[in-house]
Amino acid sequence: MNFRYNLLTNNIFRRLGMPSPPPIPVLGELYNAMKIGMYANDLDLVGKYGKIIGVYEGNAPVILLSDPDLLRKVLIKDSYTFMNRRPFDGAAGILEHSLIALKDEHWKSVRSIISPAFSTAKLKSMFGLMNDVSEIYKKRLLEYADKQETFDIKQLNGEFTLDNITTCLFGVETNSLGNENVVLIKYLKKFFAFSLANLFLIVLFISPRLAKFLGEKGFSILPRDSVEYTTNILNQILDRRRQRVERRNDFIQMMIDHEENVKNETEDHHEEEHQWKTTKKTLNDKEILGQTFAFLFAGYETTSVLMSFFFYVMATQPQIQEKVYDEIQQVIGNNEVTYEKLSELHYLDMVISETLRMYPPIFRFERVASTDYQLADYRIPKGIVISVPVYPIHHDPQVWPEPEKFIPERFSAEEKGKRDPMSYLPFGDGPRNCLGMRFALLEVKLGIVKALRAVQIQQCEKTEVLLYPDPIESIIDPIKYYFLKNNASRRFGIPGPTPIPFFGELFHIIFKGLYQHDMDLVRKYGKLVGIYEGPKYTILLSDPELLRKVLIKDSHVFMNRRSVEGVLGPFDHGLTQLKDEHWKNARAIVSPTFSSAKLKAMYGLMSEVSDMYNTRLLELADKQEMFNIKELSQEFTLDSIGSCLFGVEINSLQNENGVLVKHLKQIFGLSLANFMVIIFLISPRFARYLGSKGYSILPNNTVDYLTRLLNQILDRRRQHVERRNDFIQIMVDHEEEMEHNEQQAGTSTKTLNDKEILGQALIFLLAGYETTSILMSFFFYVMATESEVQERVYKEIQQEIGDNEITYEKLNELHYLDMAISETLRMYPPVIRFDRVAGTNYKLGDYQVLKDTLINIPVYAIHHDPTVYPDPEKFIPERFSVNERSKRDPLTYLPFGDGPRNCIGMRFALLEAKLAIAKALRVIEIQRCEKTQIPLKLNKLKTLAPKEGIWLCVTRRSR
């Protein structure tokens, strides 16, 4: 967990001495926000750590600030130091030209140009247009009243605010209240629907550099098709206004008028004697479009949320609704609702303010420090984000007694005078507060007054009495809703945990480890569990009868494995990735490599490598050194595979710092490639896109090196420069044989192309290098910690072979060694899981499984099932005696998988492991040392390997 270590050692808040929760790898506090909601997590943080807290959002340090005095400094007194918001460089698309993202003087200039659009005079000029929209809104409510229908007020309010924004600010008659299905409405609503754009926000938090790169490639927070469609419409409006085809009192017109005024002023100045130029700024088209998108993006959702919660309160607190109605009747009656009369509805103002306090649409806003700054007792660095948690501020019981009670009188003039203004921040504060605040409140008040004069809001059977807000700005709950609504386990009745948005079970895996989490899931939910890995639905299957169907009886339905297309380079052509007939053909060609005859032919090469392994062990015995058996076993397996399968004398046992060894260790080391794995699990489509741009799960330099090496070997074999009994030679011989047959008989038979040969070669190299060395390492660990087992293995070797040559046939007679290796594979299976994919819809037990569902087989959990293996944490080789094995279902032991798609290199791996073990134990005794871990700490995210190696020592056996 290098990421976690990096956060702990470089934790800025620890250095500052600022209260802070332990940082969570990759997501930071986003994980908890996803789990319980941003508003609830902010409440917990403030309650636990106070009013100035250091947190991580992704890998970015953020200060959560809710102290009124400090907020006054940040937002007002020293606002010049905190002028900007969090940057979205390269990732916000058209919004980068808006007030949301602009910085410093650029922001100040644009804000000064736009501000007059929301002056009292401009709002009054728009009032008629708002009034027209409010009339349509009222009619829709009356239709529902006449039909006595229940309805979602949030959806209706979204249509109302959308119509107001588009007609008053852009001069577009969307009429979504009258026709919900017009093309423009569909595109606009996509801005706020759950989509892959939200994943882009997660990428932005986790890796701003990657987000910037993707932004340069056309990715954005906003849906591309919606942006393009809306941009085209707004460009048409701009053209018509500039050509004076139409004119309206809206934002677009104000920008055009400003543009023309500046142009006229410039021309006037040129005619004067000194010919000096004006420096007055206008907005370019991108900036105008950026502001329109910002108004649309911010106003549509937040205003409709405010109105929705207001009407919810009216329905659940009828006495307040009656007071609001009485005030409206007293001040306005049945007369026309004017701008001035709305200003006289003071109780309505209080109710709206209390709604905004209790249900603030924006949970947080933020500022960025432009220089180092002394914030109370802490010297905070330039660039750090200050995030203001509005929800906890609005629910602070010291400021708002009984904060969960709705009490409009909190906002009487007298009560407001008693409070610090910084304790109420629904629109932010200071120079960078919400520019559209007055517009939003005006449209809300007008819509409410028109509605409450005509209808009474009531509860219905679908009304939630205890309503909690969705974290609108945080994008979390819409995603959570998507997962819950589309939860396959829920639809099909399959037991399983509630999915965490985006990540599913990945975060539990990161913290507990894959092997432990699988154990917990199986214990809690049974032997058929439905889970999410990212957005991908997966079934965790450990029931032997059902496994027999999936792996053997109906293996034709479950022929393929999880696809990782586009992100593995040459590995895309390996057996682990090939599908259907392509896989069957390649497997048939490759399988003879591991026949008994071929293994016997390779035996001499294996024996030579085993002798070098012995030599190294004896050297360590003579030096009485402690050593990591995992590293030594990796060198052995690498030399065996290189020599026996590819004819390469790697000789890593004598030169552990060789170039090839270094490259292979890169693949199994923790690196940024692991981030690509996370991206793949969250969004395979996105990962494939990154793969097409050169990103890979595997280090590119290592893949390039291995590809060049294997191409050189292929060339030498085809040119008959050399010949060996190995995998490469079998492929070349098959190629030549098929070519000869084709010439003789005119038939065409499939061979592997170079990419496929390279793919298989790399798979054998990498899979064998790691898994076989893990098996050997754990075996020797057991020998050191279970000395009586080691003694029995040694005695069997002496009894069956003595000091004679260890032959292929003699190895097969070491039955107790077989049992000890099998028990090692049971207790420490190198591959924690393997998978299959359903090729069609399938009836699995009592449940319907859809096509393309991933079936994951949790090997570790199966091997540690106490109902099958009593005392599963005890090492008992006798479990694998012929008698004991016959009592168990074969599907309860799966270290190499099962069925047609089991591990093709199983026999090779077991042969090299047995040979090395037998040669080693004849000459040395394995012992513990002070660095030997008991129990072992295991890796959490990769294969089941020791986290910190396995440290042992050895002594020579006396003859």
Side-chain angles (χ1 to χ4, degrees):
M1 296 295 289
N2 286 354
F3 189 97
R4 183 174 223 167
Y5 174 77
N6 185 58
L7 277 182
L8 291 173
T9 54
N10 295 288
N11 189 333
I12 186 173
F13 304 117
R14 177 177 289 181
R15 296 202 304 272
L16 291 173
M18 186 178 292
S20 174
I24 298 170
V26 184
L27 280 188
E29 284 304 306
L30 292 178
Y31 169 75
N32 290 325
M34 286 180 174
K35 194 173 181 181
I36 63 174
M38 182 174 281
Y39 71 95
N41 191 49
D42 282 356
L43 276 172
D44 289 350
L45 287 170
V46 173
K48 187 173 183 181
Y49 296 99
K51 294 189 175 183
I52 178 166
I53 312 162
V55 300
Y56 277 86
E57 292 181 352
N59 61 1
V62 173
I63 293 174
L64 214 59
L65 184 64
S66 54
D67 180 273
D69 292 329
L70 297 178
L71 284 172
R72 187 173 292 100
K73 289 183 178 180
V74 168
L75 300 177
I76 301 172
K77 184 181 176 183
D78 296 330
S79 60
Y80 57 88
T81 301
F82 298 92
M83 188 179 294
N84 300 323
R85 293 180 178 174
R86 187 198 302 252
F88 287 88
D89 297 339
I94 193 67
L95 286 177
E96 285 186 13
H97 306 282
S98 75
L99 286 172
I100 294 172
L102 293 180
K103 300 176 183 177
D104 303 319
E105 294 303 316
H106 194 177
W107 167 78
K108 286 175 71 174
S109 174
V110 171
R111 173 98 180 197
S112 67
I113 295 169
I114 293 172
S115 291
F118 300 98
S119 67
T120 300
K122 285 296 177 183
L123 291 177
K124 283 184 177 179
S125 69
M126 297 176 194
F127 192 79
L129 297 173
M130 282 189 190
N131 195 53
D132 293 341
V133 175
S134 298
E135 282 294 325
I136 302 170
Y137 179 65
K138 180 183 74 176
K139 286 178 183 177
R140 283 288 301 277
L141 287 168
L142 287 169
E143 288 171 7
Y144 283 122
D146 293 339
K147 294 176 183 177
Q148 296 187 332
E149 285 184 10
T150 59
F151 65 99
D152 182 0
I153 191 71
K154 171 75 163 54
Q155 183 174 326
L156 188 66
N157 290 334
E159 294 160 10
F160 168 72
T161 54
L162 182 58
D163 284 356
N164 262 314
I165 293 167
T166 54
T167 192
C168 296
L169 295 181
F170 319 130
V172 178
E173 302 288 348
T174 49
N175 193 22
S176 63
L177 282 164
N179 180 5
E180 300 172 31
N181 297 314
V182 293
V183 177
L184 177 59
I185 303 305
K186 288 183 179 178
Y187 278 115
L188 291 176
K189 286 185 175 179
K190 284 181 73 174
F191 284 123
F192 310 102
F194 171 76
S195 71
L196 286 176
N198 294 309
L199 171 62
F200 196 79
L201 278 178
I202 298 294
V203 173
L204 183 65
F205 279 113
I206 296 173
S207 179
R209 186 179 298 178
L210 177 58
K212 185 175 182 179
F213 166 79
L214 294 173
E216 292 167 356
K217 301 299 180 183
F219 282 82
S220 169
I221 291 169
L222 303 175
R224 188 180 302 177
D225 56 346
S226 292
V227 171
E228 290 174 354
Y229 184 86
T230 311
T231 299
N232 287 335
I233 287 178
L234 291 171
N235 277 326
Q236 292 169 20
I237 295 169
L238 279 170
D239 289 344
R240 289 200 301 272
R241 301 295 177 85
R242 285 175 177 144
Q243 295 165 15
R244 304 188 182 181
V245 174
E246 64 184 21
R247 181 178 181 83
R248 288 175 65 117
N249 285 319
D250 55 25
F251 169 74
I252 295 287
Q253 192 64 53
M254 172 168 275
M255 295 303 100
I256 298 296
D257 290 349
H258 177 77
E259 195 177 274
E260 292 179 353
N261 289 339
V262 171
K263 183 181 178 183
N264 292 336
E265 286 180 24
T266 304
E267 290 172 357
D268 290 343
H269 292 315
H270 271 289
E271 292 171 6
E272 294 180 4
E273 185 179 350
H274 297 291
Q275 294 289 305
W276 59 275
K277 265 194 173 182
T278 182
T279 57
K280 248 188 173 180
K281 177 81 170 64
T282 62
L283 301 191
N284 60 38
D285 282 6
K286 282 187 176 179
E287 289 170 336
I288 294 173
L289 292 171
Q291 312 324 315
T292 57
F293 274 100
F295 295 151
L296 189 64
F297 195 73
Y300 170 78
E301 186 75 357
T302 55
T303 309
S304 64
V305 167
L306 165 57
M307 290 183 70
S308 302
F309 281 124
F310 178 92
F311 285 124
Y312 171 77
V313 171
M314 296 300 98
T316 55
Q317 307 222 30
Q319 73 283 4
I320 294 177
Q321 180 176 185
E322 193 60 29
K323 284 188 73 173
V324 173
Y325 174 74
D326 288 344
E327 182 184 56
I328 293 169
Q329 287 301 103
Q330 183 179 336
V331 174
I332 304 174
N334 294 319
N335 299 321
E336 181 184 354
V337 182
T338 63
Y339 183 91
E340 291 73 19
K341 284 294 183 184
L342 278 183
S343 301
E344 297 175 23
L345 299 173
H346 304 303
Y347 187 73
L348 175 59
D349 283 338
M350 290 192 285
V351 176
I352 290 173
S353 295
E354 176 68 346
T355 304
L356 284 167
R357 180 200 68 80
M358 200 160 175
Y359 304 107
I362 304 296
F363 285 158
R364 287 189 189 177
F365 61 91
E366 57 197 21
R367 302 290 186 266
V368 176
S370 60
T371 64
D372 292 354
Y373 183 85
Q374 190 69 36
L375 186 68
D377 298 328
Y378 310 104
R379 187 70 180 173
I380 64 172
K382 175 183 177 180
I384 200 162
V385 175
I386 306 290
S387 197
V388 183
V390 178
Y391 195 90
I393 291 171
H394 285 193
H395 288 73
D396 183 347
Q398 294 179 343
V399 179
W400 313 94
E402 298 182 287
E404 300 309 317
K405 281 191 177 180
F406 193 90
I407 307 171
E409 289 74 15
R410 300 183 202 268
F411 289 91
S412 66
E414 181 183 354
E415 289 298 317
K416 285 171 72 174
K418 298 176 183 178
R419 282 192 306 271
D420 192 314
M422 292 297 116
S423 60
Y424 180 67
L425 298 168
F427 297 100
D429 209 324
R432 200 147 189 169
N433 70 339
C434 174
L435 182 61
M437 172 181 68
R438 297 177 67 207
F439 179 92
L441 289 175
L442 181 60
E443 66 173 317
V444 166
K445 287 179 72 174
L446 183 56
I448 287 169
V449 169
K450 290 264 183 175
L452 291 185
R453 288 208 303 181
V455 299
Q456 183 179 14
I457 309 296
Q458 297 174 341
Q459 295 183 58
C460 66
E461 63 275 11
K462 295 173 78 173
T463 306
E464 281 185 57
V465 177
L466 288 173
L467 188 67
Y468 292 94
D470 284 348
I472 300 301
E473 193 176 64
S474 71
I475 72 160
I476 303 302
D477 272 12
I479 300 166
K480 196 172 216 174
Y481 171 75
Y482 174 85
F483 272 90
L484 293 174
K485 181 182 177 185
N486 296 282
N487 190 333
S489 283
R490 180 174 291 182
R491 292 208 308 275
F492 300 124
I494 297 175
T498 302
I500 296 173
F502 276 129
F503 288 89
E505 293 303 299
L506 293 180
F507 261 87
H508 294 306
I509 289 168
I510 288 172
F511 293 119
K512 292 195 288 186
L514 180 59
Y515 67 94
Q516 185 59 55
H517 188 51
D518 281 356
M519 294 270 287
D520 292 347
L521 287 170
V522 172
R523 284 194 196 109
K524 186 171 183 180
Y525 298 101
K527 295 188 175 182
L528 196 157
V529 189
I531 61 173
Y532 278 85
E533 292 181 352
K536 177 71 176 175
Y537 183 66
T538 298
I539 290 174
L540 207 62
L541 184 64
S542 54
D543 180 272
E545 291 301 324
L546 297 180
L547 283 172
R548 186 171 289 100
K549 290 183 178 181
V550 168
L551 299 177
I552 301 169
K553 183 180 176 185
D554 294 329
S555 60
H556 60 283
V557 176
F558 298 92
M559 187 180 294
N560 300 324
R561 293 182 179 179
R562 185 203 298 259
S563 173
V564 196
E565 295 165 353
V567 294
L568 285 176
F571 291 87
D572 283 336
H573 307 284
L575 283 174
T576 56
Q577 291 299 296
L578 296 180
K579 297 179 181 178
D580 305 318
E581 294 303 315
H582 194 177
W583 166 77
K584 287 176 72 175
N585 183 69
R587 173 98 181 197
I589 294 170
V590 173
S591 289
T593 305
F594 302 101
S595 67
S596 295
K598 289 295 178 184
L599 290 177
K600 284 182 180 180
M602 298 175 193
Y603 190 81
L605 297 173
M606 278 189 195
S607 188
E608 291 174 8
V609 176
S610 299
D611 285 338
M612 286 189 281
Y613 186 61
N614 259 15
T615 301
R616 281 289 303 278
L617 286 168
L618 288 169
E619 288 172 0
L620 291 165
D622 292 340
K623 293 177 183 177
Q624 296 186 333
E625 284 185 8
M626 296 180 291
F627 66 98
N628 183 358
I629 191 70
K630 172 78 160 48
E631 288 183 1
L632 190 66
S633 296
Q634 283 177 325
E635 292 160 11
F636 164 74
T637 54
L638 181 57
D639 285 356
S640 277
I641 294 166
S643 181
C644 298
L645 295 182
F646 314 124
V648 179
E649 300 293 344
I650 300 171
N651 201 19
S652 64
L653 280 164
Q654 295 180 344
N655 180 15
E656 59 190 81
N657 294 314
V659 178
L660 178 56
V661 179
K662 287 181 179 178
H663 277 294
L664 289 171
K665 285 181 178 179
Q666 275 193 57
I667 291 177
F668 298 102
L670 196 63
S671 70
L672 285 176
N674 295 303
F675 178 66
M676 270 295 291
V677 175
I678 293 172
I679 290 293
F680 169 75
L681 291 170
I682 296 172
S683 176
R685 185 183 300 177
F686 188 29
R688 282 194 291 273
Y689 168 81
L690 293 177
S692 70
K693 299 299 179 183
Y695 285 81
S696 172
I697 287 173
L698 304 170
N700 287 334
N701 61 336
T702 294
V703 171
D704 291 344
Y705 179 86
L706 294 175
T707 300
R708 286 196 303 272
L709 177 65
L710 290 167
N711 274 327
Q712 290 169 12
I713 297 168
L714 271 173
D715 288 343
R716 288 201 302 272
R717 300 299 176 82
R718 285 174 176 148
Q719 294 166 14
H720 300 279
V721 174
E722 63 184 19
R723 180 179 182 84
R724 287 176 66 118
N725 286 318
D726 56 25
F727 166 73
I728 296 291
Q729 194 64 53
I730 290 171
M731 295 302 101
V732 171
D733 289 349
H734 178 77
E735 194 178 271
E736 292 177 351
E737 182 184 349
M738 293 305 104
E739 186 178 337
H740 176 74
N741 290 345
E742 189 173 340
Q743 291 173 351
Q744 293 292 316
T747 58
S748 179
T749 309
K750 181 75 173 71
T751 61
L752 300 191
N753 60 38
D754 282 6
K755 283 186 176 179
E756 290 168 336
I757 293 173
L758 289 171
Q760 313 325 316
L762 291 172
I763 289 293
F764 296 152
L765 189 61
L766 296 182
Y769 171 75
E770 184 74 350
T771 56
T772 309
S773 65
I774 288 171
L775 162 59
M776 291 179 64
S777 303
F778 281 127
F779 180 90
F780 285 126
Y781 173 77
V782 171
M783 296 300 100
T785 56
E786 306 270 353
S787 54
E788 69 283 358
V789 176
Q790 179 177 187
E791 191 60 25
R792 283 195 63 182
V793 172
Y794 171 70
K795 284 181 178 178
E796 181 184 57
I797 294 168
Q798 287 301 104
Q799 183 179 332
E800 296 295 333
I801 304 173
D803 293 329
N804 300 321
E805 181 186 355
I806 301 178
T807 63
Y808 181 91
E809 290 74 20
K810 281 292 183 183
L811 274 183
N812 291 327
E813 296 175 19
L814 299 175
H815 303 303
Y816 188 76
L817 175 59
D818 282 336
M819 289 192 286
I821 289 174
S822 295
E823 177 68 347
T824 303
L825 286 168
R826 179 201 69 80
M827 201 162 175
Y828 303 106
V831 178
I832 301 170
R833 284 186 186 178
F834 63 92
D835 56 51
R836 300 290 185 267
V837 177
T840 63
N841 293 346
Y842 185 84
K843 187 75 171 176
L844 187 64
D846 297 329
Y847 308 106
Q848 184 68 30
V849 173
L850 299 181
K851 180 183 177 182
D852 295 328
T853 297
L854 189 69
I855 308 294
N856 248 316
I857 293 88
V859 178
Y860 190 92
I862 291 169
H863 286 192
H864 288 75
D865 182 350
T867 63
V868 179
Y869 298 101
D871 295 318
E873 300 310 317
K874 283 188 177 180
F875 190 88
I876 307 171
E878 289 75 14
R879 300 183 201 269
F880 290 90
S881 66
V882 174
N883 185 46
E884 288 298 317
R885 290 176 68 167
S886 67
K887 297 176 184 177
R888 286 193 304 269
D889 193 310
L891 275 295
T892 58
Y893 180 67
L894 298 167
F896 298 99
D898 208 326
R901 200 148 189 169
N902 70 340
C903 173
I904 194 171
M906 172 181 68
R907 297 175 68 204
F908 179 92
L910 289 174
L911 180 61
E912 66 174 324
K914 284 180 71 176
L915 180 56
I917 288 166
K919 288 212 172 193
L921 290 184
R922 284 209 303 184
V923 295
I924 53 101
E925 182 180 353
I926 311 291
Q927 296 175 342
R928 286 184 284 184
C929 63
E930 60 264 28
K931 292 179 71 174
T932 306
Q933 283 184 347
I934 300 176
L936 274 175
K937 294 178 183 176
L938 303 177
N939 269 336
K940 293 183 176 182
L941 302 180
K942 302 188 288 181
T943 49
L944 191 77
K947 186 177 180 180
E948 298 165 9
I950 295 177
W951 290 84
L952 304 170
C953 60
V954 293
T955 58
R956 282 181 181 263
R957 287 190 182 273
S958 55
R959 293 287 178 177

Coordinates of all heavy atoms in Angstrom, one line a residue, residues 835-866:
D835 N -12.2 -16.3 -13.0 CA -13.5 -16.0 -13.4 C -13.9 -16.6 -14.7 O -13.1 -17.2 -15.5 CB -13.7 -14.5 -13.5 CG -12.7 -13.8 -14.4 OD1 -12.5 -14.2 -15.5 OD2 -12.0 -12.8 -14.0
R836 N -15.2 -16.6 -15.0 CA -15.8 -17.0 -16.2 C -16.9 -16.0 -16.5 O -17.5 -15.3 -15.6 CB -16.4 -18.4 -16.2 CG -15.4 -19.5 -15.9 CD -14.5 -19.7 -17.0 NE -13.6 -20.9 -16.7 CZ -12.4 -20.8 -16.1 NH1 -11.9 -19.7 -15.7 NH2 -11.7 -21.9 -15.9
V837 N -17.3 -15.9 -17.8 CA -18.3 -14.9 -18.3 C -19.5 -15.7 -18.9 O -19.2 -16.6 -19.7 CB -17.8 -13.9 -19.2 CG1 -18.9 -13.0 -19.8 CG2 -16.7 -13.1 -18.6
A838 N -20.7 -15.4 -18.5 CA -21.9 -16.1 -19.1 C -22.0 -15.7 -20.5 O -22.1 -14.5 -20.9 CB -23.1 -15.8 -18.3
G839 N -22.0 -16.7 -21.4 CA -22.2 -16.4 -22.9 C -23.6 -16.2 -23.3 O -23.9 -15.6 -24.3
T840 N -24.6 -16.7 -22.4 CA -26.0 -16.5 -22.7 C -26.7 -16.3 -21.3 O -26.1 -16.4 -20.3 CB -26.7 -17.7 -23.4 OG1 -26.6 -18.8 -22.5 CG2 -26.0 -18.0 -24.7
N841 N -28.0 -15.9 -21.4 CA -28.8 -16.0 -20.1 C -28.8 -17.4 -19.6 O -28.8 -18.3 -20.4 CB -30.2 -15.5 -20.4 CG -30.3 -14.0 -20.8 OD1 -29.3 -13.3 -20.6 ND2 -31.4 -13.6 -21.3
Y842 N -28.7 -17.6 -18.3 CA -28.5 -18.9 -17.7 C -29.2 -19.0 -16.4 O -29.2 -18.1 -15.6 CB -27.0 -19.1 -17.6 CG -26.6 -20.5 -17.1 CD1 -26.5 -21.5 -18.0 CD2 -26.3 -20.7 -15.8 CE1 -26.1 -22.8 -17.6 CE2 -25.9 -22.0 -15.3 CZ -25.8 -23.0 -16.2 OH -25.5 -24.3 -15.8
K843 N -29.8 -20.2 -16.1 CA -30.4 -20.5 -14.8 C -29.4 -21.1 -13.9 O -28.9 -22.2 -14.1 CB -31.6 -21.4 -15.0 CG -32.4 -21.7 -13.8 CD -33.3 -20.5 -13.4 CE -34.3 -20.8 -12.3 NZ -35.1 -19.6 -11.9
L844 N -28.9 -20.3 -12.9 CA -27.9 -20.7 -12.0 C -28.6 -21.0 -10.6 O -28.9 -20.0 -9.9 CB -26.8 -19.7 -11.9 CG -25.6 -20.0 -11.0 CD1 -24.8 -21.2 -11.7 CD2 -24.7 -18.8 -10.9
G845 N -28.8 -22.2 -10.3 CA -29.5 -22.5 -9.1 C -30.9 -22.0 -9.2 O -31.6 -22.2 -10.2
D846 N -31.3 -21.2 -8.2 CA -32.7 -20.6 -8.2 C -32.7 -19.2 -8.9 O -33.7 -18.6 -8.9 CB -33.2 -20.4 -6.8 CG -33.3 -21.8 -6.1 OD1 -33.6 -22.8 -6.8 OD2 -33.1 -21.8 -4.9
Y847 N -31.6 -18.8 -9.5 CA -31.5 -17.4 -10.0 C -31.2 -17.4 -11.5 O -30.5 -18.2 -12.0 CB -30.4 -16.7 -9.2 CG -30.5 -16.8 -7.7 CD1 -29.6 -17.6 -7.0 CD2 -31.5 -16.1 -7.0 CE1 -29.7 -17.7 -5.6 CE2 -31.6 -16.2 -5.6 CZ -30.7 -17.0 -4.9 OH -30.8 -17.1 -3.6
Q848 N -31.8 -16.3 -12.1 CA -31.5 -16.1 -13.5 C -30.3 -15.2 -13.6 O -30.2 -14.1 -13.0 CB -32.8 -15.3 -14.1 CG -32.6 -15.1 -15.6 CD -32.7 -16.4 -16.4 OE1 -33.3 -17.3 -16.0 NE2 -32.0 -16.4 -17.5
V849 N -29.4 -15.6 -14.4 CA -28.1 -14.9 -14.7 C -28.2 -14.4 -16.1 O -28.4 -15.1 -17.0 CB -26.9 -15.8 -14.4 CG1 -25.6 -15.0 -14.9 CG2 -26.8 -16.2 -13.0
L850 N -27.9 -13.1 -16.3 CA -28.0 -12.5 -17.6 C -26.7 -12.7 -18.4 O -25.6 -12.9 -17.8 CB -28.2 -11.0 -17.5 CG -29.6 -10.6 -16.8 CD1 -29.7 -9.1 -16.8 CD2 -30.8 -11.2 -17.5
K851 N -26.8 -12.7 -19.7 CA -25.6 -12.8 -20.5 C -24.6 -11.7 -20.2 O -25.0 -10.6 -19.8 CB -26.1 -12.6 -22.0 CG -24.9 -12.7 -23.0 CD -25.4 -12.4 -24.4 CE -24.2 -12.4 -25.4 NZ -24.6 -12.1 -26.8
D852 N -23.3 -12.1 -20.2 CA -22.2 -11.2 -19.9 C -22.0 -11.0 -18.4 O -21.1 -10.2 -18.1 CB -22.3 -9.9 -20.6 CG -22.3 -10.0 -22.2 OD1 -21.6 -10.9 -22.6 OD2 -22.9 -9.2 -22.8
T853 N -22.8 -11.7 -17.6 CA -22.5 -11.6 -16.1 C -21.2 -12.3 -15.8 O -20.9 -13.4 -16.3 CB -23.7 -12.2 -15.3 OG1 -24.8 -11.4 -15.6 CG2 -23.4 -12.1 -13.8
L854 N -20.4 -11.7 -15.0 CA -19.1 -12.2 -14.6 C -19.3 -13.2 -13.4 O -20.0 -12.8 -12.4 CB -18.2 -11.1 -14.2 CG -16.7 -11.5 -14.0 CD1 -16.0 -11.9 -15.3 CD2 -16.0 -10.3 -13.3
I855 N -18.8 -14.4 -13.5 CA -18.9 -15.4 -12.4 C -17.5 -15.4 -11.8 O -16.5 -15.8 -12.5 CB -19.3 -16.8 -12.9 CG1 -20.6 -16.7 -13.6 CG2 -19.4 -17.7 -11.7 CD1 -21.8 -16.3 -12.8
N856 N -17.3 -15.0 -10.6 CA -16.0 -15.0 -9.9 C -15.9 -16.2 -8.9 O -16.9 -16.4 -8.1 CB -15.8 -13.7 -9.1 CG -14.7 -12.8 -9.8 OD1 -13.6 -13.4 -10.1 ND2 -15.0 -11.6 -9.9
I857 N -14.9 -17.0 -9.0 CA -14.7 -18.1 -8.1 C -13.7 -17.7 -7.0 O -12.5 -17.6 -7.4 CB -14.3 -19.4 -8.9 CG1 -15.4 -19.8 -9.8 CG2 -14.0 -20.5 -7.9 CD1 -15.4 -19.2 -11.2
P858 N -14.1 -17.6 -5.8 CA -13.2 -17.2 -4.7 C -12.4 -18.3 -4.1 O -12.8 -19.0 -3.2 CB -14.2 -16.6 -3.7 CG -15.4 -17.4 -3.9 CD -15.5 -17.7 -5.3
V859 N -11.3 -18.6 -4.7 CA -10.5 -19.8 -4.4 C -10.1 -19.9 -2.9 O -10.3 -20.9 -2.2 CB -9.3 -19.9 -5.3 CG1 -8.4 -21.2 -4.9 CG2 -9.7 -20.0 -6.8
Y860 N -9.7 -18.7 -2.4 CA -9.2 -18.7 -1.0 C -10.4 -19.0 -0.1 O -10.2 -19.8 0.9 CB -8.7 -17.3 -0.7 CG -8.0 -17.2 0.7 CD1 -6.6 -17.5 0.8 CD2 -8.7 -17.0 1.8 CE1 -6.0 -17.4 2.0 CE2 -8.1 -16.9 3.1 CZ -6.7 -17.1 3.1 OH -6.1 -17.1 4.4
A861 N -11.5 -18.5 -0.3 CA -12.7 -18.7 0.5 C -13.1 -20.2 0.5 O -13.5 -20.8 1.5 CB -13.8 -17.8 0.2
I862 N -13.0 -20.8 -0.7 CA -13.4 -22.2 -0.9 C -12.4 -23.1 -0.2 O -12.8 -24.0 0.5 CB -13.4 -22.6 -2.4 CG1 -14.6 -21.9 -3.1 CG2 -13.5 -24.1 -2.6 CD1 -14.5 -21.9 -4.6
H863 N -11.1 -22.7 -0.2 CA -10.1 -23.5 0.4 C -10.0 -23.4 1.9 O -9.3 -24.2 2.6 CB -8.7 -23.1 -0.2 CG -8.4 -23.6 -1.5 ND1 -7.2 -23.6 -2.1 CD2 -9.3 -24.2 -2.5 CE1 -7.3 -24.1 -3.3 NE2 -8.5 -24.5 -3.6
H864 N -10.8 -22.4 2.4 CA -10.8 -22.2 3.9 C -12.2 -22.4 4.5 O -12.5 -21.9 5.6 CB -10.2 -20.8 4.2 CG -8.7 -20.7 4.0 ND1 -8.2 -20.6 2.8 CD2 -7.7 -20.7 4.9 CE1 -6.9 -20.5 2.9 NE2 -6.5 -20.5 4.2
D865 N -13.0 -23.2 3.8 CA -14.3 -23.5 4.2 C -14.2 -24.5 5.4 O -13.8 -25.7 5.1 CB -15.2 -24.0 3.1 CG -16.6 -24.3 3.5 OD1 -16.9 -24.2 4.7 OD2 -17.4 -24.5 2.6
P866 N -14.6 -24.2 6.6 CA -14.4 -25.1 7.7 C -15.3 -26.3 7.6 O -15.1 -27.4 8.2 CB -14.7 -24.3 8.9 CG -15.6 -23.1 8.5 CD -15.1 -22.9 7.1

